[in-house]
Amino acid sequence: MKVTVVGAGNVGATCADVLAYREIANEVVLVDIKEGFAEGKALDIWQKSPINLYDTRTVGVTNDYTRTANSDVVVITSGLPRKPGMTRDDLISTNAGIVRSVTENVIKHSPEAIIIVVSNPLDVMTYQAHLTSKLPRTKVMGMAGILDTARYRAFLAEELNVSPKDIQAVLMGGHGDTMVPLPRYTTVGGIPVTELIDPAKLDAIVDRTKNGGGELVKLMGTSAWYAPGSAAAQMVEAIVRDQKRVFPVCIKLEGEYGIDGTYLGVPVVLGKNGIEKVIELQLNEDEMALLRASEKAVREVMDVLDNMPTEA
């Protein structure tokens, strides 16, 4: 198995490191436009293989997509990170151009690859990659839900003083302030979370989750990378190892939840063919209203992309 990670910044390098450490693929190719950057990161990851005892070869290249040929999975992390005061939507013009160019190069050399998009604004960059690649919707997806649920579960584990391993949760909708956490589907060791935590505290955790990325930007002056990189690697693992994992993933909806044509995070089954099934939950009226609001917000940014000049 061969996996390519485009973008050797913090998120991409973390993703490549996790893929190598967990021996998820035989070879991981790291690509970047900055001369020597990917080569250095890949060499550093390879040099710790005798310490952490793994066999995965990591290779770095500068803008040479021929080296990525016949990749089974490609993770796109390219683009500008958010800066303080900048919303994900502010990034759309620049990052759409980057994702378009990267996707063209990826498809040229790996026409059968499954593409995972991490670039922000996530839902709309997934749309851009899907438009450019012309692949089936099951093979172009965005990583957001795993990251968002991880933040939600981490905050709950901290509040309840329990292991995060025992917390299961589902979030839906767009990546950002309009995401839709679902406390009704959140459990701690099989126990509904609503039986273990005060409603006001749960609401506060949900709000913190919605603004989880912004909290980190304020603290560090740039976007997160450990959790996003690890989340992307977990998606790669589910595909490469055909695990049939149930994850919230950004996909183009085609009638599910009564939504058509918008890219939103929903629970899916992830395996060797990419998204093998979209799971439709029986949402109540309040949950559906939140999902509709999230759809409206994502649709507005998709419209911005649709109306941008193609050279953007």
Side-chain angles (χ1 to χ4, degrees):
M1 282 288 179
K2 181 176 180 178
V3 177
T4 288
V5 180
V6 185
N10 289 331
V11 175
T14 297
C15 180
D17 184 35
V18 173
L19 291 171
Y21 179 69
R22 292 178 58 82
E23 296 186 315
I24 291 166
N26 304 86
E27 182 181 21
V28 175
V29 180
L30 200 53
V31 184
D32 203 273
I33 59 171
K34 185 177 177 182
E35 188 72 40
F37 196 56
E39 290 88 338
K41 293 282 185 82
L43 183 59
D44 194 16
I45 293 169
W46 174 240
Q47 287 174 354
K48 73 181 180 68
S49 63
I51 301 168
N52 288 339
L53 303 178
Y54 55 81
D55 301 314
T56 299
R57 292 300 302 265
T58 50
V59 178
V61 293
T62 302
N63 239 14
D64 179 11
Y65 283 85
T66 61
R67 192 65 183 80
T68 73
N70 302 313
S71 293
D72 296 283
V73 185
V74 176
V75 181
I76 300 176
T77 73
S78 311
L80 297 179
R82 280 200 296 169
K83 299 295 183 185
M86 180 187 290
T87 67
R88 286 185 177 88
D89 299 353
D90 292 335
L91 300 174
I92 186 169
S93 179
T94 300
N95 284 357
I98 293 170
V99 169
R100 185 186 306 117
S101 174
V102 167
T103 305
E104 287 169 351
N105 282 306
V106 163
I107 291 301
K108 180 179 179 181
H109 298 284
S110 302
E112 299 301 316
I114 292 170
I115 296 175
I116 298 171
V117 179
V118 184
S119 309
N120 276 322
L122 187 282
D123 312 286
V124 183
M125 291 305 103
T126 305
Y127 174 36
Q128 177 67 74
H130 193 192
L131 280 177
T132 305
S133 69
K134 299 180 174 62
L135 289 171
R137 67 168 182 156
T138 53
K139 297 185 74 173
V140 184
M141 63 199 78
M143 186 295 296
I146 294 176
L147 171 63
D148 294 332
T149 53
R151 287 171 173 161
Y152 179 45
R153 290 157 67 196
F155 298 152
L156 285 170
E158 197 172 12
E159 177 63 33
L160 295 170
N161 196 26
V162 299
S163 170
K165 296 177 185 176
D166 291 328
I167 300 178
Q168 292 295 323
V170 177
L171 291 97
M172 293 177 60
H175 181 49
D177 303 344
T178 64
M179 74 177 74
V180 185
L182 300 171
R184 197 161 60 89
Y185 291 97
T186 304
T187 60
V188 183
I191 304 164
V193 73
T194 49
E195 295 185 18
L196 300 172
I197 191 168
D198 177 82
K201 287 183 178 177
L202 185 57
D203 287 344
I205 287 172
V206 166
D207 286 341
R208 188 181 180 193
T209 302
K210 288 182 178 182
N211 298 289
E215 180 181 359
L216 289 162
V217 170
K218 286 178 184 175
L219 289 168
M220 302 188 295
T222 189
S223 300
W225 62 87
Y226 293 125
S230 298
Q234 190 173 52
M235 289 177 68
V236 174
E237 181 178 27
I239 294 165
V240 168
R241 294 185 174 159
D242 193 24
Q243 292 177 329
K244 315 292 191 194
R245 296 292 303 273
V246 177
F247 289 136
V249 167
C250 178
I251 182 177
K252 179 186 180 184
L253 295 180
E254 294 181 347
E256 296 89 357
Y257 299 96
I259 296 170
D260 191 27
T262 304
Y263 291 71
L264 285 175
V266 294
V268 307
V269 177
L270 209 53
K272 67 179 179 181
N273 299 309
I275 294 172
E276 304 199 346
K277 180 182 180 181
V278 175
I279 297 171
E280 285 199 70
L281 304 176
Q282 298 301 310
L283 301 182
N284 61 33
E285 284 186 19
D286 291 342
E287 292 161 347
M288 186 56 79
L290 290 171
L291 187 63
R292 288 289 184 185
S294 191
E295 176 204 8
K296 182 175 182 288
V298 171
R299 187 73 249 181
E300 285 173 358
V301 189
M302 287 176 62
D303 291 342
V304 171
L305 180 66
D306 287 338
N307 294 319
M308 272 179 11
T310 55
E311 70 274 14

